[in-house]
Coordinates of all heavy atoms in Angstrom, one line a residue:
M1 N 0.8 -1.2 0.0 CA 0.0 0.0 0.0 C 0.9 1.2 0.0 O 0.6 2.2 -0.7 CB -0.9 0.0 1.2 CG -1.7 1.3 1.5 SD -0.8 2.5 2.4 CE -1.0 2.0 4.1
E2 N 1.9 1.3 0.8 CA 2.7 2.5 0.9 C 3.4 2.8 -0.4 O 3.5 3.9 -0.8 CB 3.7 2.3 2.0 CG 3.1 2.4 3.4 CD 4.0 2.1 4.5 OE1 5.2 1.8 4.3 OE2 3.5 2.2 5.7
S3 N 3.9 1.7 -1.1 CA 4.5 1.9 -2.4 C 3.5 2.5 -3.4 O 3.8 3.4 -4.2 CB 5.1 0.7 -3.0 OG 6.1 0.2 -2.1
L4 N 2.3 1.9 -3.5 CA 1.3 2.3 -4.4 C 0.9 3.8 -4.1 O 0.7 4.6 -5.0 CB 0.1 1.4 -4.3 CG 0.3 0.0 -4.8 CD1 -0.9 -0.9 -4.4 CD2 0.6 -0.1 -6.3
R5 N 0.8 4.1 -2.9 CA 0.4 5.5 -2.5 C 1.6 6.5 -2.8 O 1.3 7.5 -3.4 CB 0.0 5.6 -1.0 CG -0.4 6.9 -0.5 CD -0.8 6.9 0.9 NE 0.3 6.5 1.8 CZ 0.2 6.4 3.1 NH1 -0.9 6.6 3.7 NH2 1.3 6.1 3.8
E6 N 2.8 6.1 -2.4 CA 3.9 6.9 -2.6 C 4.2 7.3 -4.1 O 4.5 8.4 -4.4 CB 5.2 6.3 -2.0 CG 6.4 7.1 -2.0 CD 7.6 6.4 -1.4 OE1 7.3 5.6 -0.4 OE2 8.7 6.5 -1.8
Y7 N 4.0 6.3 -4.9 CA 4.2 6.6 -6.3 C 3.0 7.1 -7.1 O 2.9 7.1 -8.3 CB 4.8 5.4 -7.0 CG 6.2 5.1 -6.5 CD1 6.5 4.1 -5.7 CD2 7.3 5.9 -7.0 CE1 7.8 3.9 -5.2 CE2 8.5 5.7 -6.5 CZ 8.8 4.7 -5.6 OH 10.1 4.5 -5.2
D8 N 1.9 7.4 -6.3 CA 0.7 8.1 -6.9 C 0.1 7.3 -7.9 O -0.3 7.7 -9.0 CB 1.2 9.5 -7.4 CG 0.0 10.5 -7.4 OD1 -1.0 10.2 -6.7 OD2 0.1 11.5 -8.1
Y9 N -0.2 6.0 -7.6 CA -0.9 5.1 -8.5 C -2.4 5.1 -8.3 O -3.1 4.2 -8.9 CB -0.3 3.7 -8.4 CG 1.0 3.4 -9.0 CD1 2.1 3.0 -8.2 CD2 1.3 3.7 -10.3 CE1 3.3 2.7 -8.8 CE2 2.5 3.5 -10.9 CZ 3.5 3.0 -10.1 OH 4.8 2.8 -10.7
G10 N -2.9 6.0 -7.6 CA -4.3 6.1 -7.4 C -4.8 5.4 -6.2 O -6.0 5.1 -6.1
V11 N -3.9 5.0 -5.3 CA -4.3 4.4 -4.0 C -4.3 5.4 -2.9 O -3.3 6.0 -2.6 CB -3.4 3.2 -3.6 CG1 -3.6 2.7 -2.2 CG2 -3.6 2.1 -4.6
E12 N -5.5 5.8 -2.4 CA -5.6 6.9 -1.4 C -5.1 6.4 0.0 O -4.5 7.2 0.7 CB -7.0 7.4 -1.3 CG -7.4 8.2 -2.6 CD -8.8 8.7 -2.4 OE1 -8.9 9.8 -1.8 OE2 -9.7 8.1 -2.8
A13 N -5.5 5.2 0.4 CA -5.1 4.7 1.7 C -5.4 5.7 2.8 O -4.6 6.0 3.6 CB -3.6 4.3 1.7
L14 N -6.7 6.1 2.8 CA -7.1 7.1 3.7 C -6.9 6.8 5.2 O -6.7 7.7 6.0 CB -8.6 7.5 3.5 CG -8.9 8.1 2.1 CD1 -10.4 8.2 1.9 CD2 -8.2 9.5 2.0
C15 N -7.0 5.6 5.6 CA -6.9 5.3 7.0 C -5.5 5.0 7.4 O -5.2 4.7 8.6 CB -7.8 4.1 7.4 SG -7.2 2.5 6.9
G16 N -4.6 5.1 6.5 CA -3.2 4.9 6.8 C -2.8 3.5 7.1 O -1.8 3.3 7.8
G17 N -3.6 2.5 6.7 CA -3.2 1.1 7.0 C -3.9 0.5 8.2 O -3.5 -0.6 8.6
M18 N -5.0 1.1 8.6 CA -5.7 0.6 9.8 C -6.8 -0.4 9.5 O -7.6 -0.8 10.3 CB -6.2 1.8 10.6 CG -5.1 2.7 11.1 SD -3.9 1.9 12.2 CE -4.9 1.6 13.6
C19 N -6.9 -0.8 8.2 CA -7.9 -1.8 7.8 C -9.3 -1.3 8.1 O -10.2 -2.0 8.6 CB -7.6 -3.1 8.5 SG -8.5 -4.5 7.7
S20 N -9.6 0.0 7.7 CA -10.9 0.5 8.0 C -11.5 1.4 6.9 O -12.6 1.8 6.9 CB -10.9 1.4 9.3 OG -10.1 2.5 9.1
C21 N -10.7 1.6 5.7 CA -11.3 2.4 4.7 C -11.5 1.7 3.3 O -12.3 2.1 2.6 CB -10.4 3.6 4.5 SG -8.8 3.3 3.7
A22 N -10.7 0.7 3.1 CA -10.7 -0.1 1.8 C -10.3 0.8 0.6 O -10.5 0.3 -0.5 CB -12.1 -0.7 1.6
T23 N -9.7 1.9 0.8 CA -9.3 2.7 -0.4 C -7.9 2.2 -0.9 O -7.3 2.8 -1.8 CB -9.2 4.2 0.0 OG1 -8.3 4.4 1.0 CG2 -10.5 4.8 0.3
C24 N -7.4 1.1 -0.3 CA -6.2 0.5 -0.8 C -6.5 -0.9 -1.5 O -5.6 -1.7 -1.7 CB -5.2 0.3 0.3 SG -5.8 -0.9 1.5
H25 N -7.8 -1.0 -1.9 CA -8.2 -2.3 -2.5 C -7.6 -2.5 -3.8 O -7.6 -1.7 -4.7 CB -9.7 -2.2 -2.6 CG -10.4 -3.4 -3.2 ND1 -11.6 -3.4 -3.9 CD2 -10.0 -4.7 -3.4 CE1 -11.9 -4.6 -4.3 NE2 -10.9 -5.4 -4.0
C26 N -7.0 -3.7 -4.0 CA -6.4 -4.1 -5.3 C -6.7 -5.6 -5.6 O -7.1 -6.3 -4.7 CB -4.9 -4.0 -5.2 SG -4.3 -2.3 -5.2
Y27 N -6.6 -5.9 -6.8 CA -6.7 -7.3 -7.2 C -5.3 -7.9 -7.4 O -4.5 -7.3 -8.1 CB -7.5 -7.5 -8.5 CG -8.8 -6.8 -8.5 CD1 -9.2 -5.8 -9.3 CD2 -9.8 -7.3 -7.6 CE1 -10.4 -5.1 -9.2 CE2 -11.0 -6.7 -7.5 CZ -11.3 -5.6 -8.3 OH -12.6 -5.0 -8.2
I28 N -5.0 -9.0 -6.8 CA -3.7 -9.7 -7.0 C -3.8 -10.6 -8.2 O -4.7 -11.4 -8.3 CB -3.4 -10.5 -5.7 CG1 -3.5 -9.6 -4.4 CG2 -2.0 -11.1 -5.8 CD1 -2.6 -8.4 -4.3
D29 N -2.7 -10.6 -9.0 CA -2.7 -11.5 -10.1 C -2.7 -12.9 -9.6 O -2.1 -13.2 -8.6 CB -1.4 -11.3 -10.9 CG -1.6 -10.2 -12.0 OD1 -2.5 -9.4 -11.9 OD2 -0.8 -10.2 -13.0
A30 N -3.4 -13.8 -10.3 CA -3.6 -15.1 -9.8 C -2.3 -15.9 -9.5 O -2.3 -16.6 -8.6 CB -4.5 -15.9 -10.9
D31 N -1.3 -15.7 -10.3 CA 0.0 -16.3 -10.1 C 0.6 -16.0 -8.8 O 1.4 -16.7 -8.3 CB 1.0 -16.0 -11.2 CG 0.5 -16.5 -12.6 OD1 -0.4 -17.4 -12.6 OD2 1.1 -16.1 -13.6
W32 N 0.2 -14.9 -8.2 CA 0.8 -14.4 -7.0 C 0.0 -14.7 -5.7 O 0.5 -14.6 -4.6 CB 1.1 -12.9 -7.1 CG 2.2 -12.6 -8.0 CD1 2.1 -12.3 -9.3 CD2 3.6 -12.6 -7.7 NE1 3.3 -12.1 -9.9 CE2 4.3 -12.2 -8.9 CE3 4.3 -12.7 -6.5 CZ2 5.7 -12.1 -8.9 CZ3 5.7 -12.6 -6.6 CH2 6.3 -12.3 -7.7
S33 N -1.3 -15.0 -5.9 CA -2.2 -15.1 -4.8 C -1.7 -16.1 -3.7 O -1.8 -15.8 -2.5 CB -3.6 -15.5 -5.3 OG -4.2 -14.4 -5.9
A34 N -1.2 -17.2 -4.2 CA -0.8 -18.3 -3.2 C 0.4 -17.8 -2.4 O 0.7 -18.4 -1.3 CB -0.5 -19.5 -4.0
K35 N 1.2 -16.8 -2.8 CA 2.4 -16.4 -2.1 C 2.0 -15.4 -1.0 O 2.9 -15.1 -0.1 CB 3.4 -15.7 -3.1 CG 3.9 -16.7 -4.1 CD 4.9 -16.1 -5.0 CE 5.4 -17.2 -5.9 NZ 6.5 -16.7 -6.8
L36 N 0.8 -14.9 -1.0 CA 0.4 -14.0 0.1 C -0.3 -14.8 1.2 O -0.8 -15.9 1.0 CB -0.7 -13.0 -0.4 CG -0.1 -11.8 -1.1 CD1 0.7 -12.1 -2.4 CD2 -1.3 -10.9 -1.5
G37 N -0.2 -14.4 2.4 CA -0.8 -15.0 3.5 C -2.3 -14.9 3.4 O -2.8 -14.1 2.5
P38 N -3.1 -15.6 4.2 CA -4.6 -15.4 4.1 C -5.0 -14.1 4.6 O -4.3 -13.4 5.4 CB -5.1 -16.6 5.0 CG -3.9 -16.8 6.0 CD -2.7 -16.5 5.2
R39 N -6.2 -13.7 4.2 CA -6.8 -12.5 4.8 C -7.2 -12.7 6.2 O -7.6 -13.8 6.6 CB -8.1 -12.1 4.0 CG -8.0 -11.9 2.6 CD -9.4 -11.7 2.0 NE -9.4 -11.6 0.5 CZ -10.1 -12.4 -0.2 NH1 -11.0 -13.2 0.3 NH2 -10.1 -12.3 -1.5
S40 N -7.1 -11.6 7.0 CA -7.6 -11.6 8.4 C -9.1 -11.5 8.3 O -9.7 -11.1 7.3 CB -7.0 -10.5 9.2 OG -7.5 -9.2 8.7
D41 N -9.7 -11.8 9.4 CA -11.2 -11.7 9.5 C -11.6 -10.2 9.2 O -12.6 -10.0 8.6 CB -11.7 -12.1 10.9 CG -11.6 -13.6 11.1 OD1 -11.4 -14.3 10.1 OD2 -11.6 -14.0 12.3
D42 N -10.9 -9.3 9.8 CA -11.2 -7.8 9.6 C -11.1 -7.5 8.1 O -12.0 -6.8 7.6 CB -10.3 -6.9 10.4 CG -10.6 -7.0 11.9 OD1 -11.7 -7.5 12.3 OD2 -9.8 -6.5 12.7
E43 N -10.1 -7.9 7.5 CA -9.9 -7.6 6.0 C -11.0 -8.2 5.2 O -11.6 -7.6 4.4 CB -8.5 -8.1 5.6 CG -8.2 -7.8 4.1 CD -6.9 -8.4 3.6 OE1 -6.2 -9.1 4.4 OE2 -6.6 -8.1 2.4
E44 N -11.3 -9.5 5.5 CA -12.3 -10.2 4.8 C -13.7 -9.5 4.9 O -14.4 -9.3 4.0 CB -12.4 -11.6 5.4 CG -13.4 -12.5 4.7 CD -12.8 -13.3 3.5 OE1 -11.6 -13.5 3.5 OE2 -13.5 -13.6 2.6
E45 N -14.0 -9.1 6.1 CA -15.2 -8.4 6.4 C -15.4 -7.1 5.6 O -16.4 -6.8 5.0 CB -15.3 -8.1 7.9 CG -16.6 -8.3 8.6 CD -16.5 -8.1 10.1 OE1 -16.6 -7.0 10.6 OE2 -16.2 -9.2 10.8
L46 N -14.3 -6.3 5.6 CA -14.4 -5.0 4.9 C -14.5 -5.3 3.4 O -15.2 -4.6 2.7 CB -13.1 -4.2 5.3 CG -13.0 -2.8 4.9 CD1 -14.3 -2.0 5.3 CD2 -11.8 -2.1 5.4
L47 N -13.7 -6.2 2.9 CA -13.7 -6.5 1.4 C -15.1 -7.0 1.0 O -15.6 -6.6 -0.1 CB -12.7 -7.6 1.1 CG -11.2 -7.1 1.0 CD1 -10.3 -8.2 0.9 CD2 -11.0 -6.1 -0.1
E48 N -15.7 -7.8 1.8 CA -17.0 -8.3 1.4 C -18.1 -7.3 1.3 O -19.2 -7.5 0.7 CB -17.5 -9.5 2.4 CG -16.6 -10.7 2.1 CD -17.0 -11.8 3.1 OE1 -17.7 -11.6 4.1 OE2 -16.5 -13.0 2.9
E49 N -17.9 -6.1 1.9 CA -18.9 -5.0 1.8 C -18.8 -4.3 0.5 O -19.7 -3.5 0.1 CB -18.6 -4.0 2.9 CG -19.0 -4.6 4.3 CD -18.6 -3.6 5.4 OE1 -18.3 -2.4 5.1 OE2 -18.7 -4.0 6.6
L50 N -17.7 -4.5 -0.3 CA -17.5 -3.8 -1.5 C -18.2 -4.5 -2.7 O -18.1 -5.7 -2.9 CB -16.0 -3.7 -1.8 CG -15.1 -3.1 -0.7 CD1 -13.6 -3.2 -1.1 CD2 -15.5 -1.6 -0.5
E51 N -18.8 -3.7 -3.6 CA -19.4 -4.2 -4.8 C -18.3 -4.8 -5.7 O -18.5 -5.7 -6.5 CB -20.1 -3.1 -5.6 CG -21.4 -2.7 -4.9 CD -22.2 -1.6 -5.7 OE1 -22.0 -1.6 -7.0 OE2 -22.9 -0.9 -5.1
S52 N -17.1 -4.2 -5.7 CA -16.0 -4.6 -6.5 C -15.2 -5.8 -6.0 O -14.2 -6.2 -6.6 CB -15.1 -3.5 -6.8 OG -14.6 -2.9 -5.5
F53 N -15.7 -6.4 -4.9 CA -15.0 -7.6 -4.3 C -14.9 -8.8 -5.3 O -15.9 -9.1 -5.9 CB -15.8 -8.0 -3.0 CG -15.2 -9.2 -2.4 CD1 -14.0 -9.2 -1.8 CD2 -15.9 -10.4 -2.4 CE1 -13.4 -10.4 -1.2 CE2 -15.4 -11.6 -1.8 CZ -14.2 -11.5 -1.2
R54 N -13.7 -9.4 -5.3 CA -13.5 -10.6 -6.1 C -12.7 -11.6 -5.3 O -12.1 -11.2 -4.3 CB -12.7 -10.3 -7.4 CG -13.3 -9.3 -8.4 CD -12.4 -9.2 -9.6 NE -12.8 -8.1 -10.4 CZ -12.0 -7.6 -11.4 NH1 -10.8 -8.0 -11.5 NH2 -12.5 -6.6 -12.1
D55 N -12.5 -12.8 -5.8 CA -11.7 -13.7 -5.1 C -10.3 -13.3 -4.9 O -9.6 -13.6 -3.9 CB -11.7 -15.1 -5.8 CG -13.0 -15.8 -5.7 OD1 -13.8 -15.4 -4.9 OD2 -13.2 -16.7 -6.5
T56 N -9.8 -12.5 -5.8 CA -8.4 -12.0 -5.8 C -8.2 -10.7 -5.1 O -7.1 -10.1 -5.1 CB -7.8 -11.9 -7.2 OG1 -8.6 -11.0 -7.9 CG2 -7.8 -13.3 -7.9
S57 N -9.3 -10.2 -4.4 CA -9.2 -8.9 -3.7 C -8.3 -9.0 -2.5 O -8.4 -10.0 -1.8 CB -10.6 -8.5 -3.3 OG -11.4 -8.1 -4.4
R58 N -7.6 -7.9 -2.3 CA -6.8 -7.7 -1.0 C -6.8 -6.3 -0.7 O -6.8 -5.4 -1.6 CB -5.4 -8.2 -1.2 CG -5.2 -9.7 -1.3 CD -5.7 -10.5 -0.1 NE -5.2 -10.2 1.2 CZ -4.3 -11.0 1.8 NH1 -3.8 -12.0 1.2 NH2 -3.9 -10.6 3.0
L59 N -6.7 -6.0 0.6 CA -6.4 -4.6 1.0 C -4.9 -4.6 1.1 O -4.3 -5.3 2.0 CB -7.1 -4.4 2.4 CG -8.6 -4.4 2.4 CD1 -9.1 -4.2 3.8 CD2 -9.2 -3.4 1.4
T60 N -4.3 -3.8 0.3 CA -2.8 -3.9 0.2 C -2.1 -3.4 1.5 O -1.0 -3.8 1.7 CB -2.3 -3.1 -1.0 OG1 -2.8 -1.7 -0.9 CG2 -2.7 -3.7 -2.3
C61 N -2.8 -2.7 2.3 CA -2.2 -2.3 3.6 C -2.1 -3.5 4.5 O -1.4 -3.5 5.5 CB -3.0 -1.2 4.3 SG -4.6 -1.7 5.0
Q62 N -2.7 -4.6 4.2 CA -2.7 -5.8 5.1 C -1.8 -6.9 4.5 O -1.8 -8.0 5.0 CB -4.1 -6.4 5.2 CG -5.1 -5.4 5.8 CD -4.6 -4.9 7.2 OE1 -4.5 -5.7 8.1 NE2 -4.4 -3.6 7.3
V63 N -1.1 -6.5 3.5 CA -0.1 -7.5 2.9 C 1.3 -7.1 3.2 O 1.8 -6.1 2.6 CB -0.3 -7.5 1.3 CG1 0.7 -8.5 0.7 CG2 -1.7 -7.9 1.0
P64 N 1.9 -7.8 4.1 CA 3.3 -7.4 4.4 C 4.2 -7.7 3.2 O 4.1 -8.8 2.6 CB 3.7 -8.4 5.6 CG 2.4 -9.0 6.0 CD 1.4 -8.9 4.9
F65 N 5.0 -6.7 2.8 CA 5.8 -6.9 1.6 C 7.1 -7.5 2.0 O 7.9 -6.9 2.8 CB 5.9 -5.5 0.9 CG 6.3 -5.7 -0.5 CD1 5.4 -6.1 -1.5 CD2 7.7 -5.6 -0.9 CE1 5.8 -6.3 -2.8 CE2 8.0 -5.8 -2.2 CZ 7.1 -6.1 -3.2
T66 N 7.4 -8.6 1.4 CA 8.7 -9.3 1.6 C 9.5 -9.5 0.3 O 8.9 -9.2 -0.7 CB 8.4 -10.7 2.2 OG1 7.7 -11.4 1.3 CG2 7.6 -10.6 3.5
D67 N 10.7 -9.9 0.4 CA 11.5 -10.1 -0.8 C 10.9 -11.1 -1.7 O 11.0 -11.0 -2.9 CB 12.9 -10.6 -0.4 CG 13.8 -9.5 0.3 OD1 13.4 -8.3 0.2 OD2 14.8 -9.9 0.9
E68 N 10.1 -12.0 -1.2 CA 9.5 -13.1 -2.0 C 8.4 -12.5 -2.9 O 8.0 -13.1 -3.9 CB 8.8 -14.1 -1.2 CG 9.8 -15.1 -0.4 CD 10.5 -14.4 0.8 OE1 9.8 -13.7 1.5 OE2 11.7 -14.6 1.0
L69 N 7.9 -11.3 -2.6 CA 6.9 -10.6 -3.4 C 7.5 -9.6 -4.4 O 6.7 -8.9 -5.0 CB 5.9 -9.9 -2.5 CG 5.1 -10.8 -1.5 CD1 4.1 -10.0 -0.7 CD2 4.4 -11.9 -2.2
D70 N 8.8 -9.6 -4.6 CA 9.4 -8.8 -5.6 C 8.8 -9.1 -6.9 O 8.9 -10.3 -7.3 CB 10.9 -8.9 -5.5 CG 11.6 -8.0 -6.5 OD1 11.0 -6.9 -6.8 OD2 12.7 -8.3 -6.9
G71 N 8.2 -8.2 -7.6 CA 7.7 -8.5 -8.9 C 6.1 -8.7 -8.9 O 5.5 -8.9 -9.9
L72 N 5.6 -8.6 -7.7 CA 4.1 -8.8 -7.5 C 3.4 -7.9 -8.4 O 3.7 -6.7 -8.6 CB 3.8 -8.4 -6.0 CG 2.3 -8.5 -5.7 CD1 1.8 -9.9 -5.7 CD2 2.1 -7.8 -4.3
R73 N 2.3 -8.5 -9.1 CA 1.5 -7.7 -10.0 C 0.1 -7.5 -9.4 O -0.5 -8.5 -9.0 CB 1.4 -8.4 -11.4 CG 2.7 -8.5 -12.1 CD 2.6 -9.3 -13.4 NE 1.6 -8.7 -14.2 CZ 1.8 -7.8 -15.2 NH1 3.0 -7.4 -15.5 NH2 0.7 -7.4 -15.9
V74 N -0.3 -6.3 -9.4 CA -1.6 -6.0 -8.8 C -2.4 -5.1 -9.8 O -1.8 -4.4 -10.6 CB -1.6 -5.3 -7.4 CG1 -0.8 -6.2 -6.4 CG2 -1.0 -4.0 -7.5
T75 N -3.7 -5.1 -9.7 CA -4.5 -4.1 -10.4 C -5.3 -3.4 -9.4 O -6.0 -3.9 -8.5 CB -5.5 -4.9 -11.3 OG1 -4.8 -5.7 -12.2 CG2 -6.4 -3.9 -12.1
I76 N -5.3 -2.1 -9.5 CA -6.0 -1.2 -8.5 C -7.5 -1.3 -8.8 O -7.9 -1.1 -9.9 CB -5.5 0.2 -8.6 CG1 -4.0 0.3 -8.2 CG2 -6.3 1.1 -7.7 CD1 -3.3 1.6 -8.4
A77 N -8.3 -1.6 -7.7 CA -9.7 -1.8 -7.9 C -10.3 -0.4 -8.1 O -9.8 0.6 -7.7 CB -10.2 -2.5 -6.6
P78 N -11.5 -0.4 -8.8 CA -12.2 0.9 -9.0 C -12.7 1.5 -7.6 O -12.9 0.8 -6.7 CB -13.4 0.5 -9.8 CG -13.6 -1.0 -9.6 CD -12.3 -1.5 -9.3
E79 N -12.7 2.8 -7.6 CA -13.2 3.5 -6.4 C -14.6 3.2 -6.2 O -15.4 3.1 -7.1 CB -13.0 5.0 -6.5 CG -11.6 5.4 -6.4 CD -11.5 7.0 -6.4 OE1 -12.4 7.7 -5.9 OE2 -10.5 7.4 -7.0
E80 N -15.1 3.2 -4.9 CA -16.5 3.0 -4.6 C -16.9 4.2 -3.7 O -16.2 4.8 -3.0 CB -16.7 1.7 -3.8 CG -16.5 0.6 -4.8 CD -17.0 -0.8 -4.1 OE1 -17.9 -0.7 -3.3 OE2 -16.5 -1.8 -4.6
Ligands
FES101 S1 -5.4 1.9 3.9 FE1 -7.3 1.8 4.7 S2 -7.9 -0.2 4.6 FE2 -5.9 -0.2 3.7

């Protein structure tokens, strides 16, 4: 989330990573989904409220970025 926000890719991240705004919602490319940990209950709950929710949805503020995710491909979800 911080990289997407910092480079002005259209991720607002209004709550600053507190898992309460969903403005960091992105879709993770299928090839990468398995490399991310599972969603927390809070993340899942917030995502399910969105019309744009998909199986590949993640709140990027809830995805710890590690070296293994170098090259991760995401698509920024539409604003709601
Ligand atoms: S920045 Fe608000 S939920 Fe991710």
Side-chain angles (χ1 to χ4, degrees):
M1 170 277 280
E2 291 175 354
S3 299
L4 295 170
R5 183 177 60 183
E6 184 176 326
Y7 289 106
D8 208 15
Y9 285 124
V11 169
E12 291 184 84
L14 292 175
C15 75
M18 300 301 291
C19 195
S20 63
C21 71
T23 60
C24 65
H25 178 202
C26 288
Y27 305 117
I28 306 297
D29 273 21
D31 293 347
W32 288 92
S33 288
K35 296 185 179 180
L36 277 60
R39 298 178 190 126
S40 69
D41 290 343
D42 288 344
E43 182 184 3
E44 184 88 25
E45 221 170 88
L46 192 52
L47 284 169
E48 286 177 349
E49 293 175 8
L50 303 174
E51 286 183 28
S52 55
F53 175 69
R54 297 183 192 163
D55 288 345
T56 58
S57 289
R58 291 301 303 256
L59 297 177
T60 53
C61 71
Q62 301 302 301
V63 177
F65 199 78
T66 62
D67 288 346
E68 290 76 40
L69 297 182
D70 185 24
L72 176 70
R73 294 179 54 96
V74 304
T75 302
I76 297 170
E79 283 184 42
E80 292 193 21

